[in-house]
Amino acid sequence: DIVMTQGVLPNPVPSGESASITCRSSKSLVYKDGKTYLNWFLQRPGQSPQLLTYWMSTRASGVSDRFSGSGSGTYFTLKISRVRAEDAGVYYCQQVREYPWTFGGGTKLELK
Amino acid sequence: AVQLVESGGGLVQPKESLKISCAASGFTFSNAAMYWVRQAPGKGLEWVARIRTKPNNYATYYADSVKGRFTISRDDSKSMVYLQMDNLKTEDTAMYYCTANIGDYWGQGVMVTVSS
């Protein structure tokens, strides 16, 4: 199974600053179609997860352009620009390159 | 508006069975692959199972932790997806979320507690 490992944020993050969340996969997530099958989700306290990006860098419908995904085949970053109060929560990366799909352990973002 | 509404959760004893359901509306259900994700209390997300669409022969996929015990199914005529859970274990205690496609839409979750 592909193991997803997420980094830790130096919390709390001052409002208005940028934050970068990292995720590493144990195997390349690039498929033969050239796409990288990596999703990012945000789970706010007490809520269901929300899809932020898919194919590593494509924002989901309605997601702010303050969120941007990037990376290589095995190392990924979600950058949040001008952090706001509503960005607080736990961020998860997920690989959908092969079954079983797997999530990272989550990275908590707290705001100052 | 898109809605996914889970139901059927509750308290069961180890080795018992439970079937949870998810009712979908607001999108073309028959065109959407569906999957279940669970979250144990205070823990992270765990992908559980996925079912594809009719053109993909309703192919199913499972996490290693539930393979052989859980069965995902769907009824396109009712816009429903189900998770039949057999031989339940205490470690299956979690909030179970229904989600569509690549995680575009999520339900509010249903709690399943396995305890003696």
Side-chain angles (χ1 to χ4, degrees):
Chain A
D1 298 359
I2 297 178
V3 177
M4 306 298 290
T5 304
Q6 293 187 229
V8 178
L9 272 178
N11 282 314
V13 177
S15 182
E17 296 290 302
S18 294
S20 290
I21 300 170
T22 61
C23 171
R24 189 184 302 272
S25 60
S26 60
K27 180 179 176 179
S28 175
L29 302 186
V30 181
Y31 191 56
K32 55 187 176 183
D33 60 4
K35 293 175 180 168
T36 302
Y37 284 80
L38 185 281
N39 300 333
W40 283 101
F41 293 89
L42 163 61
Q43 186 175 32
R44 297 183 176 94
Q47 295 187 20
S48 301
Q50 171 196 359
L51 178 67
L52 297 175
T53 66
Y54 57 96
W55 293 340
M56 186 177 71
S57 59
T58 302
R59 271 186 297 274
S61 177
V63 173
S64 169
D65 60 5
R66 295 186 300 106
F67 293 89
S68 61
S70 63
S72 64
T74 60
Y75 189 80
F76 312 97
T77 302
L78 177 71
K79 183 179 179 181
I80 312 165
S81 302
R82 305 181 302 282
V83 168
R84 301 176 181 175
E86 64 259 33
D87 300 335
V90 181
Y91 290 78
Y92 295 93
C93 59
Q94 179 200 36
Q95 69 82 17
V96 295
R97 166 63 179 80
E98 66 181 40
Y99 294 103
W101 291 358
T102 44
F103 286 95
T107 299
K108 190 171 187 178
L109 171 64
E110 297 175 284
L111 269 73
K112 185 183 291 184
Chain B
V2 171
Q3 269 201 313
L4 293 172
V5 180
E6 300 94 337
S7 61
L11 172 64
V12 295
Q13 296 196 343
K15 300 185 180 180
E16 290 188 340
S17 298
L18 189 68
K19 187 174 185 177
I20 56 177
S21 305
C22 172
S25 61
F27 64 101
T28 306
F29 181 80
S30 59
N31 290 346
M34 301 295 295
Y35 65 99
W36 291 92
V37 171
R38 68 184 181 183
Q39 187 170 36
K43 302 297 184 182
L45 302 175
E46 180 186 14
W47 176 82
V48 174
R50 183 179 190 235
I51 185 165
R52 298 184 71 179
T53 58
K54 185 176 181 181
N56 293 292
N57 299 313
Y58 297 122
T60 58
Y61 309 89
Y62 298 92
D64 296 341
S65 58
V66 307
K67 198 175 294 182
R69 301 188 299 122
F70 289 14
T71 303
I72 187 172
S73 61
R74 63 190 295 161
D75 185 336
D76 289 348
S77 68
K78 296 180 180 178
S79 295
M80 297 286 295
V81 62
Y82 307 97
L83 188 67
Q84 173 69 44
M85 302 180 288
D86 298 322
N87 189 20
L88 281 160
K89 305 176 180 181
T90 55
E91 52 264 41
D92 295 318
T93 294
M95 182 72 79
Y96 284 74
Y97 295 99
C98 165
T99 177
N101 294 322
I102 55 168
D104 315 42
Y105 314 125
W106 290 69
Q108 82 289 348
V110 63
M111 189 67 199
V112 173
T113 303
V114 184
S115 174
S116 54

